[in-house]
Amino acid sequence: MQYIHHNDLAKMTPRYKARVINSLSGFKSANLIGTVSNDNINNLAIFSSVFHLGSSPALVGFITRPCSVERHTLENIQQTKQFTINQVNEDFWQEAHQTSARYSEGECEFKATGLTPETIHKIKAPFVKESRLKYALTLKEIVPIQQNGTLLVIGEITNIICDKEAIKSDGYIDIESLNTVMISGLDSYHTSKRLSRLNYAKPDKKPVPLSLNGELGNTLI
């Protein structure tokens, strides 16, 4: 095992250190966040920091980096109070990665990457047509993180669009069936292989496998 001390971290080059630290948290979801400016210019950017905050109300958060340079996603959300989150799948993961390039404010990432903007239910922020699981959110709060200047953006889910077959009878969404991809580090993309679903854990009982539909005692995945 290699031991890396705090002093070793301080001696690393910025890019090397960023790769090490970003790899530590393991697999992260790959999502494209869609926004639109007040001038009706669509923006699309990949994020690996999207996470669940609560179900009632249905809150999701993501982290955006400090505003040391232009942050078009953040600026658009502040203007319109709306955004979409679109899960990345195997069909367009390379195009999704390309959205991380620093396009100018007037350039549209949809056009640059060949992805298709989609308007659903008169929601102003664009969805990614190629995504098989996507949802719209309304901005609720932006929380500054004092330690490093990043921002926690919190949105409430208003609309969900998903392949019907992926939603199981107990509400579980089988994202693996949607060919969803994951990110590790800054630039490594992965697919998943499910081991099994397990029942609700209790102190005096061992876990029991569940079927995809949440049925007890069925080891089929």
Side-chain angles (χ1 to χ4, degrees), residues 15-173:
R15 286 189 179 275
Y16 186 92
K17 180 180 178 181
R19 290 191 180 98
V20 169
I21 300 302
N22 272 277
S23 299
L24 292 177
S25 57
F27 296 121
K28 299 162 283 189
S29 61
N31 294 279
L32 287 169
I33 294 184
T35 62
V36 63
S37 70
N38 282 338
D39 296 326
N40 290 318
I41 299 174
N42 287 335
N43 179 263
L44 194 64
I46 192 166
F47 282 82
S48 62
S49 61
V50 172
F51 55 94
H52 164 85
L53 276 172
S55 301
S56 296
L59 300 178
V60 168
F62 73 93
I63 301 294
T64 183
R65 287 179 289 180
C67 300
S68 54
V69 298
E70 289 182 336
R71 302 292 181 197
H72 302 146
T73 296
L74 178 63
E75 292 167 6
N76 291 348
I77 292 174
Q78 290 173 321
Q79 289 176 15
T80 67
K81 314 301 181 187
Q82 283 190 341
F83 59 105
T84 68
I85 295 178
N86 307 264
Q87 283 196 2
V88 177
N89 62 51
E90 291 181 65
D91 293 336
F92 62 95
W93 62 275
Q94 294 183 63
E95 292 86 347
H97 178 80
Q98 183 61 27
T99 66
S100 63
R102 291 186 179 180
Y103 293 102
S104 64
E105 185 176 5
E107 291 183 276
C108 174
E109 286 82 2
F110 282 100
K111 292 181 179 178
T113 62
L115 293 171
T116 311
E118 184 177 33
T119 300
I120 301 176
H121 298 306
K122 297 182 180 179
I123 295 166
K124 189 174 183 181
F127 290 90
V128 177
K129 186 175 183 179
E130 290 81 1
S131 178
R132 299 171 64 185
L133 173 56
K134 45 206 168 190
Y135 43 104
L137 305 97
T138 298
L139 176 66
K140 303 304 290 184
E141 188 177 1
I142 297 177
V143 183
I145 308 299
Q146 300 298 329
Q147 293 299 316
N148 61 0
T150 57
L151 298 166
L152 166 59
V153 181
I154 301 172
E156 182 172 2
I157 298 171
T158 60
N159 303 73
I160 301 172
I161 298 94
C162 180
D163 285 7
K164 185 176 181 179
E165 295 76 14
I167 305 177
K168 301 307 174 183
S169 57
D170 67 345
Y172 169 71
I173 298 178

